[in-house]
Amino acid sequence: MAAPSNSRERSELVLLCVFLGMLWETGTGQIRYTVPEETDKGYIVGNLSKDLGLKSQELAEHGVRIISRGKTQLFALNPKSGSLTTADRIDREELCAQSARCLVNINILVEDRGKLVGIEIEITDINDNTPKFQAENLEVRMNEIAAPGTRYSLPEAVDPDVGVNSLQSYQLSPNHHFSLDVQTADDGTITPELVLERALDREQEAAHHLVLTAADGGDPRRSGTVRIHVTVLDTNDNAPVFAQPIYRVKVPENVPQGTRLLTVRATDPDEGTNGKVTYKFRKINEKHSPLFHLNENTGEISTAKNLDYEECTFYEMEIQAEDVGGLLGRTKVLISVEDVNDNRPEVIVTSLFSPVLENSLPGAIIALLNVHDRDSGKNGQVVCHTPDNLPFKLEKSINNYYRLVTWEYLDREKVSMYNISVMASDLGVPPLSTATHIVLHVADTNDNPPAFPQASYSAYIPENNPRGASIFSVTANDPDSEENARVTYSLIEDTLQGAPLSSYLSINSDTGVLYALQSFDYEQIRDLQLQITATDSGDPPLSGNVSLSLFVLDQNDNSPKILYPTFPTDGSTGVELAPRSAEPGYLVTKVVAVDGDSGQNAWLSYRLLKASEPGLFVVGLHTGEVRTARALQDRDTLKQSLVVAVQDHGQPPLSATVTLTVAVADSIPDVLADLSTLDSPANPRDSGLTTYLVLAVAVVSCVFLAFVIVLLTLRLRRWHRSRLFQATGGELAGVPSSHFVGIDGVQAFLQTYSHEVSLTADSGKSHVIFPQPNYADMLISQESCEKNDPLLTSIDFHECKDQAACIKVS
Ligand SMILES: *[C@@H]1O[C@H](CO)[C@@H](O)[C@H](O)[C@H]1NC(C)=O
Ligand SMILES: *[C@@H]1O[C@H](CO)[C@@H](O)[C@H](O)[C@H]1NC(C)=O
Ligand SMILES: *[C@@H]1O[C@H](CO)[C@@H](O)[C@H](O)[C@H]1NC(C)=O
């Protein structure tokens, strides 16, 4: 079982193992066999029948067989002999490699007894492998000046066997110069070393041939060899020398990666391989070494990465040249990096004062800028500027700081936000520049009063408007923002006809809509002048005014008012006189009416509505003149009654009527008689009244006669004038008189007919009245009478006066 060992400890260990194994074997009934490797097939491993206590022939009867987990069966059962045999050739090295013990476990089943028996088979090593070197030949080169004692590691041989069958020793072929030293490591491996015993001399012996033998301790002993060819090398007398002790080179920072910077060159006067040098960095800052690449054969230094002047401007390194013999030369390389304008200026807005009030004084600081360029020299000098069209300028401050200030007042209403671009350029060639945008908001101040689009407004409102009607709307604009643009409207207090304006109108302070608080009457108020103030909500508030003229428009709300003839409220008869001898077209009287409205609403027309004797009288449509239509006849009744309607042209028209009484008589006494006959039954008066009446009629007749004469002369004169007028070709001759009718027309007629007499019977005294001064007071202005308009009247006012005087005298 355990093989004898040259090591006492090892044999003791094996003995212990065997002893323990036997103990275990008896305890468990396990069977142990030993078989050497590499035996032929059918080699008897053990007498199984004997160990199982069975006869050899009975094995089959008991159903004894091997049960094994492995795929390949290493062992077989020989039923004839009852022994366990090898099933094939077994290679221990293949099965267990370098393990010290190689054990295989199989199980035997005795089927009829149901018994399982474990069998442990140890495969023992035989010396079937030879120690082997990797190469058959080894080239060793040694310098002739190598000192005795110099060691050279030799290759080791490998023997896969174990124990004594593995590698045990090395041997070197005998020679004068070298010896072999074998080192044993802790794990028992041994390594051979060549030791130079005596100095070599290439000149004596340029080469040495040695044989190293590795042997194991098996029986028979096996061994492997390697042939060692030692070449003695020539002495390397000269160290490499660099052409320059210091190399200097300048390089712009922007050279691309891989650019050749310089080539260092060292020469070695030795011949052949001794003259061959290799280069490498000897001393270089750790951080810098990745930046450069040194070709160890050519000495060419190139950049391995991009250089940056801003990071490092100067590199210093030492380079050594080494020849084959290990002799060294060294040199210094100084690399200066030159600045290139490769950095744009940087502008940092350190503070920004936005928004800025629009009323800030010129020179207000907007922003503080810091300008920096990483380049140096001109490349790093920076100038800044802003566009000229903006109200900002840059002022230089200390240490590359700039102040951005205003140079004029800002106006938020013109520009509420500025996008200021600050251009920073360096002085490099070509220059690099950076644009920085500063967004500045301008804050509002209340610097604009609210303004109305028009200086004044006119508004029209029909009279009789409902209360609370909105009349007009004004809007003022304030270009400021927010509160400063919030406009409220108010009316400036004033009085109108003694009452405060605010009792007539009110304005919505928010919307500017004007409301009427009262119903306006055109006949009372025709226009209003008011002032509206718009005030913003700024602090302090600003305001703007606008004037508004409000015109009340007429509506046909007044019916014509008859001025003449009036009802005799004072008890007079109100009778008009028409002599029987009157020609057709004789002017009996004139109905005079006025209308409080104006324009069409006051343009009156007259119609005869009813007559006691139809066809006897006509009424001038626009004049209101009542004239006879034909000659009066005897059969015409003394008292004629007429109803005249006056109507305006409003929409809808309004009208009034008046009843006239015309007395038809031949002479004044007739009239008086007639009247008395007329009046006595209807209105019996005392004798005093009759006396007065008679007296009055007499006076009237007298005056009438005089008046008729005067009138005739005037008519003659007028006829004569109109002839003259036609002869001079007056353009207005064809114009119908109705076109001139209006309130002026009324005046004209009144003027014309102020001469006409009217007869009024007074209760107290009977006298003739010329109504002209009364009418004139009411309707005729002094000027219009004095104007003496030839178209309207042929009588001037002086004549009127004269007549009045004349009548008074009479
Ligand atoms: C094995 O042992 C038995 C006795 O148990 C013996 O009869 C037989 O001959 C032996 N076989 C061999 C091959 O030695
Ligand atoms: C300012 O102007 C620049 C260029 O004109 C533009 O790119 C930028 O968007 C502007 N900034 C603002 C806030 O308008
Ligand atoms: C507006 O009118 C009022 C009153 O007439 C006056 O006191 C005020 O100064 C005016 N405001 C302006 C801006 O004209």
Side-chain angles (χ1 to χ4, degrees):
M1 280 175 70
S5 167
N6 50 359
S7 160
R8 205 174 134 212
E9 275 167 27
R10 199 181 281 182
S11 59
E12 273 172 15
L13 193 72
V14 171
L15 275 172
L16 183 68
C17 285
V18 170
F19 174 67
L20 285 173
M22 279 162 73
L23 264 180
W24 182 61
E25 185 182 327
T26 48
T28 57
Q30 199 173 24
I31 301 165
R32 300 205 55 185
Y33 298 121
T34 303
V35 61
E37 63 169 333
E38 303 288 347
T39 50
D40 287 335
K41 178 183 173 182
Y43 179 87
I44 295 170
V45 178
N47 191 340
L48 197 62
S49 59
K50 184 180 129 203
D51 292 335
L52 289 174
L54 298 168
K55 291 209 176 89
S56 54
Q57 291 81 14
E58 290 172 350
L59 286 184
E61 292 166 27
H62 290 286
V64 173
R65 58 190 166 95
I66 299 170
I67 48 171
S68 154
R69 291 178 306 259
K71 321 110 252 173
T72 47
Q73 289 293 344
L74 294 172
F75 302 97
L77 208 56
N78 187 337
K80 270 194 207 143
S81 61
S83 56
L84 191 67
T85 62
T86 55
D88 207 345
R89 190 176 270 269
I90 298 170
D91 185 0
R92 197 204 73 95
E93 282 74 36
E94 190 186 306
L95 208 61
C96 300
Q98 291 300 113
S99 318
R101 292 183 78 199
C102 188
L103 298 172
V104 177
N105 285 293
I106 60 169
N107 293 305
I108 299 291
L109 179 68
V110 184
E111 205 164 32
D112 62 347
R113 294 187 198 166
K115 190 177 160 195
L116 203 59
V117 181
I119 297 179
E120 188 181 68
I121 302 154
E122 178 170 4
I123 294 146
T124 55
D125 186 41
I126 63 161
N127 193 17
D128 58 342
N129 286 291
T130 308
K132 213 174 156 191
F133 288 98
Q134 237 171 351
E136 283 176 12
N137 294 300
L138 176 69
E139 287 288 329
V140 174
R141 300 195 300 168
M142 239 175 227
N143 201 302
E144 61 177 327
I145 60 157
T150 304
R151 288 168 172 265
Y152 191 95
S153 277
L154 292 174
E156 290 163 32
V158 176
D159 186 337
D161 291 327
V162 292
V164 285
N165 293 335
S166 79
L167 183 68
Q168 296 295 316
S169 62
Y170 288 101
Q171 262 188 341
L172 192 65
S173 59
N175 68 90
H176 297 293
H177 292 277
F178 299 97
S179 69
L180 188 71
D181 184 32
V182 179
Q183 304 273 327
T184 308
D186 290 345
D187 61 351
T189 55
I190 53 174
T191 50
E193 275 183 347
L194 194 63
V195 183
L196 183 65
E197 291 293 336
R198 218 178 301 154
L200 296 169
D201 189 352
R202 192 187 70 90
E203 285 69 34
Q204 243 179 31
E205 203 172 357
H208 299 269
H209 297 280
L210 308 171
V211 176
L212 179 68
T213 308
D216 61 21
D219 186 22
R221 215 177 143 88
R222 286 171 179 266
S223 64
T225 57
V226 60
R227 277 192 295 278
I228 302 169
H229 180 85
V230 179
T231 313
V232 181
L233 298 175
D234 181 30
T235 312
N236 187 17
D237 304 299
N238 295 289
V241 175
F242 279 98
Q244 286 173 238
I246 296 178
Y247 288 86
R248 290 173 203 273
V249 69
K250 283 186 178 178
V251 56
E253 59 174 326
N254 61 346
V255 291
Q257 199 174 314
T259 306
R260 192 195 81 93
L261 300 181
L262 76 158
T263 305
V264 291
R265 185 160 207 89
T267 47
D268 191 329
D270 286 329
E271 274 182 351
T273 48
N274 283 341
K276 184 165 165 51
V277 288
T278 54
Y279 303 90
K280 66 177 179 192
F281 288 118
R282 180 185 162 79
K283 226 165 93 187
I284 182 165
N285 187 317
E286 250 179 55
K287 281 190 213 155
H288 299 161
S289 61
L291 290 176
F292 301 99
H293 176 258
L294 173 65
N295 185 317
E296 60 171 14
N297 294 317
T298 61
E300 182 182 287
I301 301 176
S302 54
T303 55
K305 290 191 173 168
N306 288 326
L307 301 179
D308 188 356
Y309 175 86
E310 287 70 37
E311 243 163 50
C312 185
T313 61
F314 183 71
Y315 297 94
E316 182 176 347
M317 59 197 76
E318 265 185 35
I319 289 173
Q320 72 174 31
E322 189 180 8
D323 62 16
V324 180
L327 292 180
L328 304 174
R330 53 171 81 169
T331 188
K332 248 188 194 177
V333 173
L334 308 178
I335 299 171
S336 322
V337 182
E338 289 185 322
D339 187 39
V340 172
N341 194 18
D342 59 347
N343 288 289
R344 290 181 182 279
E346 288 171 53
V347 177
I348 299 163
V349 181
T350 37
S351 13
L352 173 63
F353 305 96
S354 174
V356 63
L357 278 175
E358 59 179 321
N359 63 351
S360 301
L361 290 174
I365 296 188
I366 303 301
L368 212 55
L369 309 173
N370 182 252
V371 179
H372 177 66
D373 192 312
R374 294 181 68 214
D375 294 321
S376 58
K378 288 250 171 200
N379 294 339
Q381 284 179 21
V382 185
V383 287
C384 287
H385 58 92
T386 49
D388 293 335
N389 57 350
L390 294 181
F392 306 102
K393 63 177 177 188
L394 279 169
E395 285 178 354
K396 193 147 172 42
S397 183
I398 48 155
N399 289 341
N400 293 330
Y401 275 91
Y402 284 88
R403 277 195 306 261
L404 183 67
V405 298
T406 58
W407 56 265
E408 62 175 26
Y409 280 102
L410 306 178
D411 188 355
R412 192 203 65 86
E413 285 71 40
K414 278 194 196 126
V415 185
S416 65
M417 192 203 82
Y418 289 93
N419 186 356
I420 312 161
S421 52
V422 176
M423 246 358 207
S425 315
D426 61 26
L427 303 179
V429 183
L432 293 176
S433 59
T434 313
T436 305
H437 300 286
I438 298 174
V439 176
L440 177 72
H441 293 275
V442 183
D444 188 42
T445 53
N446 194 20
D447 54 351
N448 288 286
F452 291 92
Q454 285 172 238
S456 62
Y457 291 94
S458 300
Y460 301 89
I461 175 174
E463 61 176 331
N464 304 321
N465 55 289
R467 283 171 195 219
S470 78
I471 301 169
F472 194 62
S473 165
V474 288
T475 309
N477 301 318
D478 192 324
D480 291 324
S481 76
E482 306 273 313
E483 288 293 309
N484 296 338
R486 187 165 303 150
V487 178
T488 54
Y489 302 90
S490 58
L491 288 176
I492 292 177
E493 200 46 73
D494 203 354
T495 52
L496 181 69
Q497 296 188 348
L501 194 65
S502 57
S503 66
Y504 292 94
L505 294 166
S506 94
I507 191 163
N508 183 319
S509 63
D510 293 332
T511 60
V513 175
L514 199 64
Y515 296 97
L517 297 180
Q518 291 196 0
S519 184
F520 287 103
D521 184 0
Y522 174 82
E523 285 70 38
Q524 276 176 16
I525 300 170
R526 298 204 170 182
D527 62 271
L528 290 92
Q529 298 299 330
L530 48 133
Q531 291 257 313
I532 297 171
T533 303
T535 310
D536 62 27
S537 310
D539 182 26
L542 297 176
S543 63
N545 290 345
V546 75
S547 61
L548 172 65
S549 304
L550 187 62
F551 295 101
V552 180
L553 297 180
D554 184 40
Q555 281 188 329
N556 195 20
D557 60 342
N558 288 287
S559 46
K561 193 173 160 205
I562 304 211
L563 298 179
Y564 181 85
T566 45
F567 281 109
T569 49
D570 51 356
S572 61
T573 55
V575 172
E576 307 294 336
L577 191 71
R580 274 190 198 280
S581 58
E583 304 266 308
Y586 172 82
L587 177 68
V588 179
T589 185
K590 177 175 166 58
V591 177
V592 179
V594 288
D595 194 304
D597 298 319
S598 64
Q600 288 275 336
N601 297 335
W603 180 22
L604 303 178
S605 53
Y606 303 82
R607 268 184 310 121
L608 186 59
L609 208 63
K610 217 168 98 187
S612 51
E613 182 74 42
L616 182 54
F617 296 100
V618 288
V619 175
L621 180 63
H622 297 301
T623 57
E625 289 171 347
V626 179
R627 293 176 187 270
T628 53
R630 58 172 168 80
L632 296 171
Q633 291 161 3
D634 289 343
R635 57 181 170 86
D636 292 330
T637 45
L638 175 66
K639 188 185 166 200
Q640 298 284 340
S641 180
L642 306 174
V643 178
V644 176
V646 186
Q647 195 181 51
D648 63 24
H649 286 73
Q651 281 299 332
L654 297 174
S655 59
T657 55
V658 66
T659 307
L660 300 176
T661 306
V662 179
V664 179
D666 269 332
S667 59
I668 291 166
D670 283 354
V671 174
L672 291 175
D674 290 348
L675 281 175
S676 60
T677 53
L678 269 175
D679 286 341
S680 47
N683 190 11
R685 300 268 174 161
D686 56 296
S687 59
L689 175 70
T690 319
T691 323
Y692 278 123
L693 263 174
V694 169
L695 202 72
V697 168
V699 172
V700 163
S701 312
C702 206
V703 168
F704 183 70
L705 264 166
F707 188 72
V708 166
I709 293 159
V710 169
L711 199 69
L712 276 171
T713 17
L714 285 173
R715 293 247 156 163
L716 259 166
R717 225 170 102 184
R718 188 177 170 188
W719 176 80
H720 180 65
R721 264 199 210 174
S722 66
R723 286 293 297 270
L724 266 177
F725 193 72
Q726 275 169 7
T728 51
E731 303 93 331
L732 293 165
V735 179
S737 62
S738 66
H739 286 198
F740 300 95
V741 176
I743 195 83
D744 289 341
V746 173
Q747 292 176 2
F749 281 113
L750 286 173
Q751 194 177 347
T752 311
Y753 293 101
S754 58
H755 317 285
E756 309 294 349
V757 71
S758 87
L759 183 65
T760 322
D762 196 21
S763 59
K765 48 193 171 185
S766 196
H767 57 199
V768 175
I769 301 163
F770 284 92
Q772 169 262 324
N774 298 337
Y775 294 149
D777 280 348
M778 218 183 278
L779 294 164
I780 306 169
S781 64
Q782 193 72 14
E783 307 92 71
S784 69
C785 191
E786 285 175 352
K787 225 189 277 168
N788 195 12
D789 191 309
L791 280 175
L792 297 173
T793 179
S794 55
I795 306 166
D796 60 22
F797 197 66
H798 297 102
E799 285 171 314
C800 308
K801 277 185 182 165
D802 290 345
Q803 278 161 20
C806 146
I807 284 159
K808 268 179 195 159
V809 166
S810 61

